[in-house]
Amino acid sequence: MKRVLAYDQAPAIAVPLRFLLAAPLLALPAAALMLYYGPALLATRWSAAALAATHLITLGFIAHSVVGALMQFLPVAAGADIRQLHRTAPWLQGLLTAGTLLLVTAFLLQSAPLLKVAAALVTLVFAAVVILAGVALARCAANDATTRAVTLGLAGLAATVTLGCVLATLPGWAAAWGIAQLTDLHAAWGLAGWMTVTVIGVALAVVPMFQITPRYPPAVERWLAPLIVATLAVLTLAVTTELNRLPGLRELLYALLAAGLAAFGVVTLSLHRASRRHADVSVWLWRGGMASLVAVALLAAAAMSAPGLAQRPWFDLLIGILMLAGFGMSVINGMMYKIVPFLVWLHWQQANPERHPLPHMGQIIPQRAMRWQAAAHGAAVALLIAALAWPPAVYGAGLAWAAAQLLLAVNLARAALRYAKFKHGLTAPA
Amino acid sequence: MSTDDASGGRVAALVVDARGLEPPEPMVRVMDALDELPRGERLLMLIHIEPRPLFRVLERNQFAYHCELKPEGYFEVSIWHKSP
């Protein structure tokens, strides 16, 4: 029987792959920042270099990965018709990459005009993603926890970008609300409202599927993502309106957020324990990510009970390292090692209606190659955290970071080349 | 979720137990088994997660299906040829 394994609106493999391949290449310059600036990079979260490194991770690695993954995930898992997004993918990826690099340059040169241009470019790309994906999700028949969480994640992205735009282009408005407060709100929406909520949405489907665990508990499926976004919405009101005067309200809302993150981390770790499968590299990366989330929650709890702790200069930096590198990059890295081989296999199948024997999925990215890369990533995260107490460790972190991103880029590129080579063999005239 | 009524009581001609298998193994086993499925008969797939990506593949290959979550926590998917 000739099989049609194509999904109705699933994209060509190049559509998601172009974003996923760009991600580690854009995170790589953060290593250069660590090696060049050394301990000065971690002196304060407000330094030009720290802001540049942060946005290499958030826009370069995380945003490219998430947008690329959504290009595949939305039609396959939710049946959403995002062919318009697929058609504009080369433009979107090009503009997002350009916007990311411009923004990072703007921070390093401390150039307000360049910051405005970069912010406009990045806003344009995300507006296209939010509108096209949002409309497609609103129209699709699926109304499950995954689809709802991913939709909420898009709302989180819209809020993050709006706040970022205000900070970059409307300094008067930003100053009226307080630059520090608004930046914290931008970070909270970005880290929790967009990144974590999107990860939750994707995890509800792919953790049981790819990591062979039981399903998430119904209460987590139904309530966690909406509660996180609702808390952020109230926090936004608390920062920007008269509610600002209520003592303790902001602290309470941040504590609620932290509790939500901890809940996701603890539940996912318990699902892993319930799985009968031997843990592979992807699972270990996810375990590291969940441990980072729990650590963030513990830090938040400690800050509530120890006055002055949150004002220490290393506190915000530690939260940032744990959320971005410890959690965000780890879970995305882990999921790439499941999604990319599966994508390659799927597209081979589509090019193979005559059913010639195909290479095993484990040969697409060998486990040994994944292990080396994951070890480099783990070392980079550990050394970055250590650098907060012993600053010279940042140089080791830079080297480990470079190795981790280079190895990830090589692993993904090898998978892409293997796909192209084998497909050429399948479809070449006899 | 289904494309048709389950019309219960019929014993499946083929059973694919894909519980605990990682993608694409469940899909490969089901598609291989469907090659052997006589028209008018049903294939029963047992799987630990709702296989939504598989449903679209089944529709494109002219199969109907009915999916049910069992009390034990796994999904039971009945699959049969659309046209008799």
Side-chain angles (χ1 to χ4, degrees), chain A residues 129-219:
Chain A
V129 169
V130 168
I131 290 168
L132 291 175
V135 166
L137 281 166
R139 284 183 182 157
C140 80
N143 181 25
D144 52 86
T146 286
T147 310
R148 287 194 298 271
V150 170
T151 307
L152 285 171
L154 286 174
L157 176 60
T160 307
V161 173
T162 303
L163 287 163
C165 221
V166 168
L167 283 163
T169 61
L170 298 169
W173 279 26
W177 284 318
I179 302 262
Q181 281 199 113
L182 214 60
T183 306
D184 284 349
L185 197 58
H186 166 67
W189 272 107
L191 295 173
W194 167 51
M195 183 177 75
T196 304
V197 166
T198 305
V199 167
I200 289 172
V202 171
L204 295 180
V206 301
V207 165
M209 190 186 304
F210 282 100
Q211 297 177 4
I212 318 299
T213 68
R215 290 173 61 192
Y216 278 86

Side-chain angles (χ1 to χ4, degrees), chain A residues 92-126:
Chain A
L92 288 177
Q93 188 255 305
L95 289 173
L96 183 58
T97 299
T100 301
L101 293 172
L102 268 176
L103 193 76
V104 167
T105 307
F107 281 125
L108 290 173
L109 297 180
Q110 299 182 60
S111 164
L114 197 57
L115 195 67
K116 288 182 175 154
V117 170
L121 203 49
V122 166
T123 302
L124 184 69
V125 171
F126 285 133

Side-chain angles (χ1 to χ4, degrees), chain A residues 19-417:
Chain A
F19 287 92
L20 299 179
L21 282 166
L25 296 174
L26 288 164
L28 186 57
L33 293 177
M34 290 176 212
L35 293 170
Y36 181 80
Y37 287 95
L41 181 73
L42 297 174
T44 166
R45 65 181 272 209
W46 299 105
S47 71
L51 289 169
T54 300
H55 288 84
L56 278 170
I57 299 171
T58 53
L59 293 178
F61 188 90
I62 294 173
H64 277 74
S65 303
V66 169
V67 172
L70 288 180
M71 292 281 183
Q72 183 74 27
F73 187 81
L74 289 180
V76 170
D81 183 353
I82 55 168
R83 278 174 288 189
Q84 279 185 300
L85 260 182
H86 293 163
R87 279 193 283 271
T88 55
W91 283 101
L92 288 177
Q93 188 255 305
L95 289 173
L96 183 58
T97 299
T100 301
L101 293 172
L102 268 176
L103 193 76
V104 167
T105 307
F107 281 125
L108 290 173
L109 297 180
Q110 299 182 60
S111 164
L114 197 57
L115 195 67
K116 288 182 175 154
V117 170
L121 203 49
V122 166
T123 302
L124 184 69
V125 171
F126 285 133
V129 169
V130 168
I131 290 168
L132 291 175
V135 166
L137 281 166
R139 284 183 182 157
C140 80
N143 181 25
D144 52 86
T146 286
T147 310
R148 287 194 298 271
V150 170
T151 307
L152 285 171
L154 286 174
L157 176 60
T160 307
V161 173
T162 303
L163 287 163
C165 221
V166 168
L167 283 163
T169 61
L170 298 169
W173 279 26
W177 284 318
I179 302 262
Q181 281 199 113
L182 214 60
T183 306
D184 284 349
L185 197 58
H186 166 67
W189 272 107
L191 295 173
W194 167 51
M195 183 177 75
T196 304
V197 166
T198 305
V199 167
I200 289 172
V202 171
L204 295 180
V206 301
V207 165
M209 190 186 304
F210 282 100
Q211 297 177 4
I212 318 299
T213 68
R215 290 173 61 192
Y216 278 86
V220 169
E221 287 192 349
R222 197 181 178 97
W223 295 114
L224 186 56
L227 278 175
I228 290 174
V229 173
T231 305
L232 283 164
V234 176
L235 182 63
T236 304
L237 287 174
V239 167
T240 56
T241 67
E242 294 297 305
L243 284 176
N244 207 359
R245 299 187 186 190
L246 279 175
L249 176 62
R250 271 185 294 130
E251 289 74 14
L252 174 66
L253 292 168
Y254 276 115
L256 276 174
L257 266 183
L261 302 185
F264 179 57
V266 166
V267 168
T268 305
L269 285 170
S270 73
L271 290 180
H272 283 165
R273 257 202 316 276
S275 167
R276 283 166 289 171
R277 282 282 292 247
H278 174 71
D280 59 13
V281 173
S282 175
V283 170
W284 278 108
L285 283 163
W286 268 68
R287 284 180 180 170
M290 297 306 122
S292 298
L293 272 190
V294 172
V296 166
L298 290 173
L299 277 168
M304 283 192 80
S305 52
L309 181 64
Q311 279 66 51
R312 303 276 181 97
W314 53 263
F315 186 85
D316 287 337
L317 288 162
L318 181 55
I319 297 280
I321 291 169
L322 285 168
M323 281 301 294
L324 290 172
F327 168 60
M329 291 184 78
S330 297
V331 301
I332 289 171
N333 197 149
M335 206 38 68
M336 277 184 182
Y337 282 150
K338 291 293 180 186
I339 290 174
V340 170
F342 183 67
L343 272 181
V344 167
W345 176 87
L346 189 67
H347 287 271
W348 275 341
Q349 284 282 346
Q350 289 170 11
N352 185 29
E354 307 302 333
R355 296 166 64 183
H356 297 294
L358 295 177
H360 191 262
M361 255 195 32
Q363 294 174 295
I364 297 170
I365 305 178
Q367 279 284 317
R368 206 177 121 167
M370 294 186 201
R371 274 199 293 271
W372 278 109
Q373 188 274 326
H377 172 70
V381 175
L383 285 165
L384 270 175
I385 293 170
L388 295 175
W390 188 61
V394 72
Y395 296 110
L399 291 172
W401 188 279
Q405 299 317 311
L406 278 169
L407 286 172
L408 180 57
V410 163
N411 287 345
L412 298 180
R414 250 197 215 145
L417 284 169

Side-chain angles (χ1 to χ4, degrees), chain A residues 1-9 75-80 142 144 146-147 204-205 208-215 276-277 280 338 342 345-346 349 355 360-361, chain B residues 1 18-36 47-61 63 69 73 75 81:
Chain A
M1 177 188 91
K2 277 196 185 185
R3 279 179 207 165
V4 180
L5 267 179
Y7 302 109
D8 303 356
Q9 298 109 9
V76 170
D144 52 86
T146 286
T147 310
L204 295 180
M209 190 186 304
F210 282 100
Q211 297 177 4
I212 318 299
T213 68
R215 290 173 61 192
R276 283 166 289 171
R277 282 282 292 247
D280 59 13
K338 291 293 180 186
F342 183 67
W345 176 87
L346 189 67
Q349 284 282 346
R355 296 166 64 183
H360 191 262
M361 255 195 32
Chain B
M1 187 174 215
R19 288 175 292 185
L21 296 180
E22 197 179 317
E25 201 63 36
M27 192 182 290
V28 169
R29 290 197 185 190
V30 161
M31 298 310 281
D32 279 346
L34 286 174
D35 286 345
E36 317 288 328
I47 189 163
H48 58 285
I49 184 79
E50 192 180 23
R52 243 179 284 137
L54 176 65
F55 298 155
R56 292 185 193 94
V57 173
L58 291 174
E59 284 164 14
R60 291 203 72 181
N61 283 278
F63 288 98
L69 174 61
F75 290 84
H81 292 273

